[in-house]
């Protein structure tokens, strides 16, 4: 067996803002109903940030929990990657703000912008450092305040999103180069910029100077989702050299229950192996996968040594999947 350096997830943490907004709360000011939202999406409630809460605060709270779970401190961290589409400021990155707030030493810190696919992209980027011995302790965070991008008069989008953050600690460990190794074992990342009009925000620093609001042709995005995600999952499994049937838990991006069920059906995945949080969290974009991972680990379903498959699709369009053994 050859000895290889693997990027191993050694700690997971999550944070959700205190304020809970139910479907009935939304129905008080937008023409919708709990029944419609639950039937079409599976969402029952979402968390929403306080007015004075920047996304970096969510990221810091999740990061502290992930570090504690890994038995590490901010002093150990030499790399911070934040996947977000809702930064505190146009610059600097959320990652450098997190570095300052946590009190980490000088190291590497930057954001990754791939919208809902951001966490999978960020894990792959982190792997490029950790598996080459260029980082000894990385924080990979997905953090979003998507409710700040909502047009609260658009019932087709404002009912779908929530706020939150999830984080993992990634550390290098020697493996044997087999699928029995712990660590990030395979990836498939995709982007198709020709589909921008299906899902975007109508503002930005280099166009109109505004933050903008999220615009989506939901049914068109839905149509691409099942096919695209299934292809990426299959490719990531092949990249890792595993059979999809050998995966213990699917930890998907939480956009719509019908998408999760469609992907599971297409790939022959037992629905009991799918971690679902969207009923409680709604779509938290780049935060949804690490939040779902945190939920599964904390409630004891996901155990060390198990094989996980993460997948996501979002604005860009971007999509991707990752195979990891915890
Ligand atoms: N309450 C009541 N009615 C509604 C609501 C609502 N909240 N939203 C839409 N409707 C209505 C529409 O107006 C439309 O009415 P009409 O027939 O009178 O015109 C009807 O419901 C059907 O609308 P559709 O958009 O066709 O509904 P659909 O079944 O496609 O569900 C949804 C919409 C939930 C948005 C779905 O398409 C979806 O989940 N799409 C994928 C979203 C996604 O995956 N996004 C990617 C990640 S997000 C990111 O990257 C930032």
């Amino acid at each position: 067996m050859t000895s290889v350096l693997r990027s191993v997830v050694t700690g997971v943490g999550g944070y959700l803002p205190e304020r809970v907004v139910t479907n009935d709360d939304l129905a008080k000011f937008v023409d919708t109903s709990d029944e419609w939202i639950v039937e079409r999406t599976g969402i029952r409630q979402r968390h929403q940030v306080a007015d004075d809460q920047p996304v970096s605060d969510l990221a810091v709270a999740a990061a502290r929990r992930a570090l504690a779970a890994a038995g590490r401190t901010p002093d150990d961290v030499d790399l911070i990657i934040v996947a977000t589409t809702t930064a505190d400021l146009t610059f600097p990155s959320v990652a450098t703000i997190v570095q300052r707030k946590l009190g980490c030493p000088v190291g590497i810190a930057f954001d990754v912008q791939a919208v809902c696919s951001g966490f999978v992209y960020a894990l792959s980027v982190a792997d490029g450092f950790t598996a080459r011995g260029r980082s000894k302790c990385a924080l990979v965070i997905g953090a979003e305040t998507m409710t700040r991008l909502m047009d609260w008069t658009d019932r087709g989008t404002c009912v779908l999103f929530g706020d939150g953050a999830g984080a993992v600690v990634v550390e290098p460990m020697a493996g044997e180069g087999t699928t029995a190794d712990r660590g990030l074992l395979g990836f498939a990342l995709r982007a198709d910029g020709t589909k921008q009009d299906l899902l975007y925000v109508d503002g930005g620093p280099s166009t109109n100077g505004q933050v903008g609001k999220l615009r989506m042709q939901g049914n068109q995005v839905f149509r691409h989702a099942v096919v695209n995600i299934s292809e990426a999952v299959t490719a990531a499994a092949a990249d890792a050299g595993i059979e999809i049937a050998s995966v213990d838990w699917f930890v998907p991006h939480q956009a719509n229950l019908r998408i999760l069920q469609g992907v599971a059906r297409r790939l022959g995945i037992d629905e009991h192996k799918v971690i679902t949080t969207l009923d409680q969290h709604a779509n938290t974009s780049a935060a949804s996968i690490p939040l779902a991972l945190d939920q599964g680990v904390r409630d004891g379903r996901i155990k060390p040594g198990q094989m996980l498959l993460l997948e996501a699709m979002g604005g860009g369009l971007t999509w991707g999947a990752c195979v990891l053994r915890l």
Side-chain angles (χ1 to χ4, degrees):
M1 293 292 160
T2 37
S3 177
V4 297
L5 214 47
R6 295 289 197 185
S7 307
V8 177
V9 171
T10 56
V12 183
Y15 172 79
L16 291 158
E18 259 172 52
R19 184 176 171 207
V20 172
V21 179
T22 65
N23 293 344
D24 284 336
D25 291 333
L26 294 179
K28 286 175 192 149
F29 63 88
V30 61
D31 183 15
T32 190
S33 65
D34 178 57
E35 192 189 5
W36 191 95
I37 300 170
V38 172
E39 189 187 309
R40 297 295 185 104
T41 72
I43 297 164
R44 293 180 185 278
Q45 62 168 50
R46 71 284 296 138
H47 291 251
Q48 185 173 5
V49 275
D51 291 345
D52 60 352
Q53 219 174 4
V55 77
S56 59
D57 280 4
L58 279 55
V60 164
R64 283 193 203 286
R65 290 174 183 170
L67 285 169
R72 299 286 173 210
T73 70
D75 270 343
D76 297 318
V77 176
D78 56 15
L79 168 66
I80 303 172
I81 305 177
V82 178
T84 188
T85 191
T86 48
D88 292 20
L89 302 167
T90 300
F91 79 79
S93 67
V94 178
T96 56
I97 298 172
V98 168
Q99 184 196 37
R100 169 174 58 79
K101 287 183 175 177
L102 281 175
C104 301
V106 170
I108 306 166
F110 58 93
D111 292 353
V112 163
Q113 160 58 295
V115 202
C116 298
S117 314
F119 187 73
V120 174
Y121 269 65
L123 275 181
S124 170
V125 175
D127 188 38
F129 288 89
T130 318
R132 284 172 179 76
R134 291 174 182 154
S135 167
K136 298 275 179 280
C137 181
L139 265 174
V140 182
I141 305 169
E144 300 278 21
T145 51
M146 292 304 284
T147 63
R148 296 224 166 96
L149 296 179
M150 292 301 109
D151 171 352
W152 294 105
T153 65
D154 176 10
R155 67 179 182 175
T157 54
C158 75
V159 304
L160 302 175
F161 292 91
D163 303 327
V168 297
V169 175
V170 179
E171 299 180 63
M173 278 184 201
E176 296 190 333
T178 73
T179 57
D181 289 350
R182 291 182 69 196
L184 305 173
L185 300 180
F187 283 96
L189 303 180
R190 310 273 187 261
D192 178 0
T194 66
K195 305 286 187 312
Q196 172 182 326
D197 290 351
L198 303 187
L199 179 54
Y200 66 100
V201 168
D202 63 1
S206 189
T207 50
N208 57 7
Q210 307 290 313
V211 171
K213 300 294 178 200
L214 184 141
R215 307 293 172 202
M216 176 166 72
Q217 297 176 40
N219 46 13
Q220 294 293 322
V221 175
F222 193 100
R223 212 160 286 165
H224 284 88
V226 174
V227 175
N228 286 351
I229 292 168
S230 300
E231 185 279 326
V233 166
T234 305
D239 189 47
I242 63 148
E243 297 294 327
I244 290 174
S246 70
V247 170
D248 295 296
W249 292 104
F250 287 83
V251 189
H253 170 52
Q254 311 279 319
N256 187 314
L257 190 58
R258 291 187 290 142
I259 295 176
L260 305 195
Q261 291 168 338
V263 171
R265 229 182 345 250
R266 199 179 171 97
L267 296 174
I269 297 164
D270 178 351
E271 67 180 78
H272 296 106
K273 289 181 169 183
V274 182
I275 303 285
T276 307
T277 55
L278 62 82
D279 55 329
Q280 300 299 306
H281 303 171
N283 181 348
T284 57
S285 186
S288 87
I289 290 177
L291 273 170
L293 188 57
D294 180 56
Q295 171 96 37
V297 169
R298 270 190 301 115
D299 68 24
R301 280 179 293 170
I302 300 178
K303 297 179 180 64
Q306 287 187 324
M307 190 75 89
L308 312 182
L309 218 159
L310 323 181
E311 53 87 343
M313 186 184 118
L317 295 178
T318 58
W319 64 101
C322 165
V323 174
L324 74 98
R325 191 182 286 286
L326 198 60

